[in-house]
Amino acid sequence: MEKALRLGLEDLGLDLSEEQQELLLQYLKLLSRWNKAYNLTAIRDEAVMVTKHLLDSLAVLPHLRGQRFIDVGTGAGLPGIPLAIALPDKHFSLLDSNGKKTRFLTHAANELSLDNVEIVKSRVADFVPGERYDAVLSRAFASLDAMISGCEHLLLPSGEFLAMKGQRPDDELERIDCKSLPVSITDLDVPGLPEYRCLLRIGPKVNLDLQ
Ligand SMILES: C[S@@+](CC[C@H](N)C(=O)[O-])C[C@H]1O[C@@H](n2cnc3c(N)ncnc32)[C@H](O)[C@@H]1O
């Protein structure tokens, strides 16, 4: 697993310290252990988790702008935990409504001493942040229009949505007002993963009155 992670990080062009790589693997160990009782992820093989959880999450890293991020519907902490380990100077709030998942996340953040992580147990619509975010991140959370309408209140005016998708969501894009919300799609290459991945960047909102 150490080697697969190291080679994958090299392929992604990410230079993480030995300590960060160790933390990523410790996170997978915790996830595997808790998964037996809590059913947190359908993937049970740790080697597969390196690709489908760690490298898949970290493929987004070069596309982050800003300091404060919220991962909505984070589940077992994906993509939030790997990104928080890789970017210790940036803040990550990890939000999920499922208590089993947030209990695991609280434990993992304590065990790994992740000072830049806040765990939020809430439905997204009910969460009122003390400070808004530069970006809302999501993987396997909701359709694009549902994510935008449900999470708008979390973003700064300059903020944006970054949605990870396993296929180009052409039908979902048709339901978005692309005039006031610029959209770009970037194909992602996840080392060792033959499946298609892309990242949708949506926003920041264009003020049409000023044009
Ligand atoms: C399919 S899982 C994806 C988990 C993780 N992002 C991943 O890619 O492995 C979706 C998660 O969103 C959470 N969720 C769904 N609707 C939500 C809502 N309205 N507010 C907060 N969490 C929600 C669920 O509890 C679940 O953990």
Side-chain angles (χ1 to χ4, degrees):
M1 288 217 304
E2 290 84 356
K3 190 173 172 200
L5 177 60
R6 187 165 36 78
L7 294 177
L9 290 172
E10 263 173 44
D11 274 1
L12 286 173
L14 298 178
D15 184 18
L16 298 196
S17 67
E18 293 286 330
E19 195 188 333
Q20 286 170 309
Q21 294 184 40
E22 182 54 35
L23 283 175
L24 289 167
L25 295 173
Q26 274 181 36
Y27 161 65
L28 285 196
K29 291 246 167 325
L30 289 172
L31 179 54
S32 260
R33 201 174 312 144
W34 280 57
N35 207 26
K36 294 189 178 97
Y38 271 37
N39 216 10
L40 301 165
T41 166
I43 299 170
R44 305 207 168 251
D45 181 327
E46 284 184 35
V48 179
M49 284 188 193
V50 169
T51 307
K52 292 204 166 177
H53 287 340
L54 297 183
L55 299 176
D56 193 47
S57 297
L58 292 169
V60 173
L61 187 151
H63 304 279
L64 299 187
R65 298 178 193 151
Q67 285 300 320
R68 287 175 47 78
F69 303 96
I70 182 163
D71 177 9
V72 293
T74 185
L78 298 157
I81 293 261
L83 290 171
I85 291 172
L87 296 168
D89 295 335
K90 303 203 186 265
H91 172 88
F92 289 84
S93 295
L94 312 185
L95 178 142
D96 206 287
S97 54
N98 181 313
K100 282 201 293 189
K101 292 179 176 162
T102 54
R103 267 198 295 287
F104 164 69
L105 289 172
T106 302
H107 174 76
N110 284 335
E111 282 285 303
L112 305 176
S113 302
L114 301 179
D115 299 333
N116 59 333
V117 164
E118 173 197 30
I119 311 300
V120 182
K121 181 193 173 304
S122 173
R123 289 190 61 75
V124 71
D126 300 333
F127 178 52
V128 181
E131 205 181 323
R132 292 189 189 210
Y133 297 90
D134 293 306
V136 167
L137 315 176
S138 73
R139 185 180 91 158
F141 170 61
S143 63
L144 295 175
D145 55 330
M147 181 185 70
I148 292 167
S149 59
C151 303
E152 250 179 339
H153 63 291
L154 305 176
L155 279 181
L156 288 163
S158 57
E160 58 192 7
F161 296 95
L162 293 174
M164 300 164 68
K165 295 279 180 185
Q167 55 190 31
R168 280 178 76 98
D170 292 326
D171 50 338
E172 293 179 30
L173 283 168
E174 277 172 21
R175 300 200 293 269
I176 294 177
D177 173 10
C178 292
K179 273 208 197 100
S180 64
L181 271 177
V183 178
S184 68
I185 308 179
T186 307
D187 292 348
L188 297 175
D189 243 336
V190 180
L193 193 68
E195 294 133 44
Y196 179 74
R197 289 284 187 273
C198 63
L199 181 70
L200 279 280
R201 181 188 293 281
I202 304 170
K205 210 169 192 155
V206 177
N207 187 343
L208 294 172
D209 296 340
L210 296 177
Q211 292 185 334

